[in-house]
Amino acid sequence: MIIGIPKEIKDNEFRVALPPGGVRELTRRGHKVIVETNAGAGSGFTDNEYVQAGAQVAHTAAEAWNRAHLVLKVKEPLPSEYGYLRDDLILFAYLHLAANEDLTRAMMNSGVTGIAYETVENEHGQLPLLAPMSEVAGRMATQIAAFYLQKPEGGRGILMGGVPGVRPAHVVILGGGSVGTNAAQVALGMGANVTLLDLNTERLIYLDQILHGRLTTIYSNEINIREALATADAVIGAVLVAGARAPRLITREMLSIMPRSSVIVDVAVDQGGCVETTRPTTHSDPTYVVDGVLHYGVANMPGAVPRTSSFALSNATLRYILKLAGGNLRDVLDSDPDLAKGLNLYAGQVLHPAVAETFGLQLGSFDQLLTKVQ
């Protein structure tokens, strides 16, 4: 198979879909890999390293896209890349379609096969390709909150861990999954008071047992969220419903409860955000203020630590990439039900229930579409 790795073009996105080590695993199996020049530069990988791994270097994005049967990306295609989508191409990337109707319809119109990292799901309900970036984003979220709590950055002027005789920051975390757990670990390590809310009582019990420090676990409902917000110096949105738009747990009206110049870091922004007033921002212009509360809504947070993130991502994705490259799509998906759950679009139809429901689209059937195409 011919596999293309274009350079990421999202604002300040320095990750690459596959480091040279992963490329080597593909080329040694006889696959051809085409890497756009400087695709790995932001993560510290040179074109020469890719050549030594057996790849060809393309001088344009068009070449990396157009010659490939399978394109690997980190982030979803931007409008300037929609023209590269076509019906004989498989795209494997973070797509987050439920938060982007324009992209969903562009992919439907092109007929491209879209497999989303974030909806690949194992038998235990875990999301193995989302997990590594959730770990990175969760740990970063606390660092970011600590930074913006500084007065020169627009925050309340509070040190995360306080000092003897002065209370530490109160960090409220919505969601006890991978993002929330990692955010809590870092916040507790910095000495903050942490309130973590989740709907899953078994998860709350588990987190109460494994996380040590000033941690309070609370069942998530509107009253409890409001009580936590009243004293929150920083809020980290870590809510996820696989493939679907994130539920909005904080309304604009609730911002009035929060202390002035408190900080919200909404990690759920790439799925639409769990705060009503959240909107996507960029690393170039990461924050804005609504009703006296500073909001951080960068949708590609791990792109700021690209070398760590690129290695972490490829550690998780490579085994699936090898499967996609090694057989026909039907056989691959039949043999791997985890990967099959990642199939969001095929032959112009949406195949993920949450995406179809979000936009009121008819849910397609892969088996029926495959028969029709054949």
Side-chain angles (χ1 to χ4, degrees), residues 15-82:
R15 288 173 289 180
V16 64
L18 206 59
V23 168
R24 183 59 181 162
E25 293 303 308
L26 288 165
T27 59
R28 65 190 288 268
R29 288 168 171 78
H31 303 296
K32 182 181 290 186
V33 181
I34 302 169
V35 180
E36 183 182 352
T37 185
N38 293 320
S43 296
F45 307 121
T46 66
D47 286 351
N48 188 52
E49 287 180 273
Y50 281 107
V51 171
Q52 290 178 345
Q56 297 180 15
V57 174
H59 295 291
T60 65
E63 186 179 355
W65 279 92
N66 294 340
R67 290 178 57 192
H69 306 130
L70 167 65
V71 163
L72 307 176
K73 277 181 54 52
V74 179
K75 295 301 290 181
E76 73 284 350
L78 297 184
S80 62
E81 296 172 303
Y82 291 176

Side-chain angles (χ1 to χ4, degrees), residues 217-256:
T217 56
I218 296 179
Y219 184 80
S220 183
N221 59 40
E222 183 179 342
I223 291 176
N224 288 340
I225 290 172
R226 284 178 175 273
E227 288 183 355
L229 292 180
T231 57
D233 298 304
V235 175
I236 295 173
V239 180
L240 174 71
V241 178
R245 198 200 181 288
R248 285 178 171 162
L249 301 183
I250 299 177
T251 64
R252 179 163 188 169
E253 179 269 327
M254 290 180 184
L255 298 185
S256 64

Side-chain angles (χ1 to χ4, degrees), residues 149-352:
L149 277 174
Q150 297 177 95
K151 190 66 174 180
E153 306 306 324
R156 302 192 69 207
I158 290 178
L159 183 65
M160 188 68 86
V163 293
V166 180
R167 75 169 183 87
H170 178 206
V171 178
V172 174
I173 300 173
L174 302 176
S178 183
V179 170
T181 300
N182 281 273
Q185 285 177 327
V186 174
L188 291 167
M190 296 176 77
N193 284 323
V194 177
T195 300
L196 188 149
L197 298 97
D198 197 280
L199 289 169
N200 186 333
T201 53
E202 291 183 1
R203 183 67 178 176
L204 293 178
I205 292 169
Y206 170 74
L207 294 176
D208 188 68
Q209 292 170 342
I210 67 164
L211 296 177
H212 305 288
R214 302 181 179 94
L215 173 70
T216 302
T217 56
I218 296 179
Y219 184 80
S220 183
N221 59 40
E222 183 179 342
I223 291 176
N224 288 340
I225 290 172
R226 284 178 175 273
E227 288 183 355
L229 292 180
T231 57
D233 298 304
V235 175
I236 295 173
V239 180
L240 174 71
V241 178
R245 198 200 181 288
R248 285 178 171 162
L249 301 183
I250 299 177
T251 64
R252 179 163 188 169
E253 179 269 327
M254 290 180 184
L255 298 185
S256 64
I257 301 170
M258 299 178 65
R260 189 166 185 82
S261 299
S262 52
V263 174
I264 292 175
V265 179
D266 195 347
V267 185
V269 66
D270 53 11
Q271 287 290 118
C274 63
V275 180
E276 183 182 1
T277 45
T278 293
R279 59 176 171 80
T281 61
T282 65
H283 288 293
S284 296
D285 187 16
T287 64
Y288 59 95
V289 176
V290 178
D291 297 343
V293 177
L294 188 146
H295 293 56
Y296 178 98
V298 175
N300 60 325
M301 290 170 58
V305 286
R307 193 167 178 88
T308 296
S309 297
S310 294
F311 279 126
L313 178 61
S314 67
N315 288 347
T317 59
L318 182 59
R319 71 185 185 94
Y320 294 103
I321 292 168
L322 292 171
K323 287 185 177 182
L324 286 171
N328 87 29
L329 186 64
R330 173 61 181 269
D331 292 341
V332 169
L333 297 184
D334 281 349
S335 67
D336 193 326
D338 299 2
L339 184 58
K341 291 182 180 178
L343 184 63
N344 280 217
L345 284 156
Y346 181 78
Q349 296 291 312
V350 172
L351 303 185
H352 195 284

Side-chain angles (χ1 to χ4, degrees), residues 3 20 44 60 79 88 95 106 108 117 169 200 211 215 357 362 366:
I3 298 144
T60 65
D88 62 345
L95 297 177
M108 290 174 66
Y117 293 155
N200 186 333
L211 296 177
L215 173 70
E357 181 179 354
Q362 182 177 354
F366 179 58

